[in-house]
């Protein structure tokens, strides 16, 4: 059963809504009940509703909860995904505009570390902690939507300077491999939707209602 505040959140559909609540207070239940409400009472078809969360485990749990309240026929086409999965589906649909070829690879963390290793002198290349710091700095830049030419090496931190020098070479290497990393799965769709009004309109029409779980944890690129 939903309490009055939860019912109000489920039934409000006239604009953006932010739900603030503590851990274990039923936020995920509100999202799943709202999905059912949109489809059963508000005339939305399942393929125009999208729920986004942060982990595959959370997405699977949300799908199971939706399945418990909606029959299969009514939830056909419903998109419940992580940010990265949603981003991947956008990239696949517009792969050429992402400067990629069909069948591109997704490099995991170890693949990326191996790629970065080739840009460092032998001594540093074998220091895993140092490599990971370089990787994390590049990841932060990508999450802040900064391209290689937008970062500066002017800082007192040598590792920042080294990361700034490696970042463009790293991106060129990914392109040569026809590959993306996990951060690109969000960065590239943001760039697409920012630079191509017709694509943005297409996705705005396709996803008529967007629900975000654990919204407070979103970084710059996820928020965009």
């Amino acid at each position: 059963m939903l309490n009055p505040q939860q019912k109000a959140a489920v039934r409000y559909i006239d604009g953006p809504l932010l739900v603030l609540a503590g851990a274990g207070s039923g936020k995920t239940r509100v999202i799943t009940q709202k999905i059912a409400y949109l489809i059963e009472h508000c005339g939305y078809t399942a393929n125009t509703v999208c729920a986004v969360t942060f982990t595959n485990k959370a997405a699977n749990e949300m799908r199971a909860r939706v399945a418990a309240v909606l029959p299969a026929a009514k939830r056909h086409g419903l998109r419940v995904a992580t940010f990265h999965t949603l981003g991947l589906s956008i990239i696949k649909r517009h792969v050429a505009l992402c400067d990629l070829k069909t069948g591109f690879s997704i490099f995991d963390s170890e693949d990326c570390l191996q790629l970065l290793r080739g840009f460092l002198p032998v001594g540093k290349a074998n220091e895993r902690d140092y490599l990971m710091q370089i990787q994390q700095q590049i990841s932060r830049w990508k999450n802040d939507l900064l391209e290689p030419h937008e970062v500066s090496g002017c800082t007192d931190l040598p590792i920042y300077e080294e990361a700034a020098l490696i970042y463009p070479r790293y991106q060129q290497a990914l392109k040569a491999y026809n590959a993306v990393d996990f951060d690109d799965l969000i960065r590239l769709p943001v760039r697409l939707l920012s630079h191509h009004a017709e694509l943005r309109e297409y996705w705005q029409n396709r996803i008529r209602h967007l629900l975000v779980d654990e919204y407070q944890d979103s970084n710059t690129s996820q928020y965009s």
Side-chain angles (χ1 to χ4, degrees):
M1 295 291 291
L2 299 176
N3 64 36
Q5 290 81 10
Q6 290 171 330
K7 286 180 181 178
V10 165
R11 294 173 182 175
Y12 180 84
I13 62 168
D14 296 327
L17 173 68
L18 178 65
V19 175
L20 300 175
S25 57
K27 295 187 296 296
T28 303
R29 186 187 315 125
V30 167
I31 289 178
T32 55
Q33 291 290 334
K34 186 156 192 166
I35 291 170
Y37 181 75
L38 289 167
I39 294 170
E40 293 196 302
H41 300 285
C42 302
Y44 286 83
T45 56
N47 62 356
T48 64
V49 178
C50 178
V52 178
T53 188
F54 281 83
T55 66
N56 288 321
K57 180 181 179 182
N60 290 335
E61 179 185 347
M62 198 178 295
R63 288 189 198 99
R65 291 195 185 193
V66 172
V69 296
L70 272 180
K74 288 191 175 183
R75 63 178 188 272
H76 178 70
L78 174 69
R79 190 186 301 270
V80 178
T82 64
F83 278 101
H84 293 90
T85 303
L86 177 60
L88 178 59
S89 66
I90 294 174
I91 292 171
K92 284 182 174 179
R93 190 169 187 90
H94 312 290
V95 64
L97 289 174
C98 295
D99 204 16
L100 292 165
K101 299 181 181 68
T102 302
F104 62 88
S105 301
I106 302 172
F107 278 16
D108 64 18
S109 182
E110 286 301 317
D111 294 327
C112 295
L113 285 175
Q114 188 63 34
L115 197 60
L116 290 169
R117 190 171 278 116
F119 304 131
L120 290 168
V122 175
K124 291 180 179 177
N126 292 325
E127 294 180 20
R128 185 175 178 85
D129 287 347
Y130 190 85
L131 267 177
M132 292 184 70
Q133 289 179 61
I134 295 285
Q135 183 186 45
Q136 288 163 6
Q137 181 58 61
I138 292 174
S139 177
R140 281 192 288 270
W141 283 327
K142 288 192 175 191
N143 288 330
D144 288 337
L145 301 174
L146 294 173
E147 301 290 335
H149 67 276
E150 295 175 310
V151 303
S152 170
C154 298
T155 176
D156 293 332
L157 297 174
I159 196 163
Y160 187 105
E161 292 184 10
E162 189 141 44
L165 292 173
I166 289 174
Y167 187 12
R169 299 171 66 191
Y170 171 74
Q171 285 302 102
Q172 290 165 6
L174 283 175
K175 182 179 177 180
Y177 280 108
N178 191 37
V180 296
D181 61 22
F182 283 136
D183 296 314
D184 288 331
L185 295 179
I186 301 175
R187 183 184 67 87
L188 289 175
V190 171
R191 191 175 69 181
L192 271 182
L193 297 173
S194 298
H195 294 170
H196 299 276
E198 71 283 3
L199 297 189
R200 184 167 65 249
E201 184 177 359
Y202 167 82
W203 283 97
Q204 286 171 337
N205 288 329
R206 183 165 182 178
I207 300 176
R208 304 304 302 274
H209 209 102
L210 179 68
L211 304 103
V212 182
D213 193 24
E214 303 293 354
Y215 175 82
Q216 76 283 353
D217 291 333
S218 54
N219 61 33
T220 300
S221 58
Q222 292 163 344
Y223 174 81
S224 295

